[in-house]
Amino acid sequence: MKIAFFTETFLPKVDGIVTRLTKTIPHLIEAGDEVLVFCPEGAPKEFLGAKVTGVPAMPLPLYPELKLGLPGPATSEALEQFQPDLIHVVNPAVLGLGGIWLAKTNGIPLLASYHTHLPKYLEHYGMGMLEPLLWELLKAAHNQAILNLCTSTAMVSELSEKGIQNTALWQRGVDTDLFRPNLRNESMRKRLLGKYEDEGELLIYVGRLSAEKQIERIKPVLEALPKSRLALVGDGPYRQQLEKIFENTATTFVGYLEGEELASAYASGDAFLFPSSTETLGLVLLEAMAAGCPVVGANKGGIPDIITNGENGCLYDPDGTNGGADSLIQATKIILGNDLERQGMRKAARQEAERWGWSGATNQLRDYYKQVLEDSDKLAA
């Protein structure tokens, strides 16, 4: 098959969508598929056998890390030259809408996938009143596709309820060869602790430092556990605000890590806290679990698909008392409270992660592609 991706985010940016794409593409190439990626400019021109075409882009005012690609005649020409069997629009916004238009005008079968819960992000940027309008725009875009993939059962249900048709689950994936428990080491632990002594539990967070991630919810946990330390791994537009929020706490801002350094960071923590209640899946949770780090996540969105409460991690109620703080503190205490139980959770977390390799997720995706091509042929007949 010849597949053209239109994605609003790609390398060198680091996020869950980029991780999924960069893990999926090599498996597609290995299966004999040809891949062309359209993404905002700044990416390499080739990625592990896939061609990459950068599109002129402008930073989003509220979120300068995210660039909005503006497709033009060169995009259309590159697509015509490639002659794809199918177009896959990832998280359609501006560039994705261009992909939808090109699919429709050229009669190319279209599949879309939903990764970022943008309507729920709006309230964190003071624009909650626009949520109904955004759902209408998303519905209009996604309903152009023959199939719409979601990364969790909760999102399949929510999108269906909002009027988005033909939804299906695109299963999770994680690199269990890279993220593994034996990378736990004292050198990385010291780096995560920064200037603070290793007197208690080391809590870690990995991901974008942005408002919708609700990272400030971890502060009451530090106050409730005075000897605990926090390492924030990642960067983003909310970093300066977070530095002020966590100013008088034992918190280290580590910045971006990747590869084995990132895997070692997960493995070297005592608990992974992920307070966000807007996640469609939460790939970082799977990475932490693969590294054998017990996890705490919100009982909302796609996270309950990953965490079985009390077995391989703990769920907290983000809508509970004190903005969910009491529940997050209690869940963290459960994970940290008993060393024997924590070791059991580490083992169970790793076992859960081992069920979800990228190869299986990509085989499932290829089956969806074949289904879309077959459905397209039926519609054309």
Side-chain angles (χ1 to χ4, degrees):
M1 290 179 285
K2 297 177 79 171
I3 303 137
F5 285 99
F6 282 77
T7 176
E8 311 291 339
T9 175
F10 199 59
L11 297 170
K13 194 173 184 297
V14 180
D15 63 20
I17 297 173
V18 175
T19 297
R20 186 175 276 266
L21 285 174
T22 55
K23 297 300 181 183
T24 299
I25 288 169
H27 287 288
L28 292 174
I29 300 293
E30 193 178 307
D33 299 321
E34 292 181 54
V35 176
L36 172 62
V37 179
F38 291 97
C39 62
E41 59 191 356
K45 293 184 179 179
E46 188 268 349
F47 176 75
L48 298 180
K51 297 175 184 174
V52 180
T53 298
V55 174
M58 54 184 284
L60 188 66
L62 286 172
Y63 206 142
E65 271 196 336
L66 185 62
K67 294 180 180 178
L68 298 179
L70 305 170
T75 306
S76 182
E77 288 169 18
L79 189 72
E80 190 176 342
Q81 213 171 24
F82 184 62
Q83 291 288 305
D85 298 310
L86 175 142
I87 287 177
H88 180 165
V89 175
V90 180
N91 232 46
V94 179
L95 180 53
L97 292 179
I100 292 170
W101 184 81
L102 287 166
K104 291 297 175 182
T105 54
N106 290 287
I108 302 168
L110 175 67
L111 177 146
S113 52
Y114 184 89
H115 301 259
T116 305
H117 210 10
L118 286 174
K120 293 301 177 188
Y121 280 23
L122 289 175
E123 61 189 80
H124 298 287
Y125 293 92
M127 296 185 289
M129 75 290 293
L130 296 176
E131 185 176 333
L133 173 62
L134 183 53
W135 273 119
E136 288 303 312
L137 293 172
L138 287 170
K139 185 166 71 172
H142 277 275
N143 282 345
Q144 302 301 311
I146 295 171
L147 184 65
N148 287 291
L149 300 182
C150 309
T151 56
S152 68
T153 54
M155 289 300 104
V156 170
S157 299
E158 186 165 353
L159 265 62
S160 298
E161 288 166 8
K162 295 294 184 182
I164 292 175
Q165 300 163 0
N166 305 316
T167 55
L169 178 67
W170 181 6
Q171 75 182 45
R172 67 200 80 159
V174 65
D175 186 344
T176 52
D177 292 326
L178 173 61
F179 299 102
R180 56 192 194 276
N182 64 4
L183 290 178
R184 185 178 178 91
N185 67 76
E186 286 305 310
S187 175
M188 175 54 72
R189 191 173 174 92
K190 284 178 182 176
R191 183 171 173 185
L192 296 174
L193 287 163
K195 64 183 181 181
Y196 302 103
E197 293 294 323
D198 194 355
E199 295 178 340
E201 303 85 1
L202 174 57
L203 312 176
I204 61 170
Y205 164 90
V206 175
R208 284 196 312 278
L209 304 187
S210 49
E212 73 278 1
K213 297 298 183 183
Q214 299 166 291
I215 300 163
E216 64 279 359
R217 289 187 170 197
I218 301 174
K219 186 178 179 182
V221 178
L222 294 176
E223 292 167 346
L225 300 167
K227 290 187 177 181
S228 62
R229 309 288 185 248
L230 174 64
L232 299 179
V233 179
D235 214 331
Y238 203 50
R239 176 165 177 162
Q240 284 189 329
Q241 292 93 320
L242 288 171
E243 285 174 346
K244 291 176 184 174
I245 291 168
F246 287 93
E247 192 172 9
N248 296 313
T249 65
T251 299
T252 304
F253 286 79
V254 181
Y256 280 121
L257 296 176
E258 58 184 359
E260 283 215 350
E261 281 195 330
L262 175 59
S264 178
Y266 282 120
S268 300
D270 296 316
F272 181 85
L273 270 55
F274 197 59
S276 172
S277 60
T278 63
E279 298 304 308
T280 59
L281 178 63
L283 281 176
V284 290
L285 282 167
L286 268 179
E287 291 172 352
M289 291 167 76
C293 186
V295 297
V296 178
N299 191 12
K300 212 163 192 179
I303 290 175
D305 274 10
I306 299 172
I307 298 176
T308 304
N309 192 40
E311 292 183 21
N312 57 23
C314 286
L315 294 168
Y316 89 97
D317 178 10
D319 301 320
T321 54
N322 295 329
D326 292 351
S327 180
L328 183 57
I329 291 166
Q330 184 60 28
T332 307
K333 283 182 174 179
I334 290 170
I335 284 215
L336 296 173
N338 182 305
D339 189 56
L340 189 62
E341 287 181 6
R342 187 165 65 210
Q343 292 308 317
M345 278 195 190
R346 280 184 182 275
K347 188 176 179 182
R350 174 67 189 184
Q351 288 172 341
E352 173 66 20
E354 284 174 349
R355 296 174 56 208
W356 305 106
W358 286 113
S359 177
T362 307
N363 288 338
Q364 183 203 36
L365 179 64
R366 294 187 81 246
D367 288 340
Y368 282 136
Y369 288 163
K370 291 169 188 173
Q371 178 188 327
V372 166
L373 293 174
E374 286 172 13
D375 291 349
S376 177
D377 288 341
K378 288 175 188 173
L379 289 170

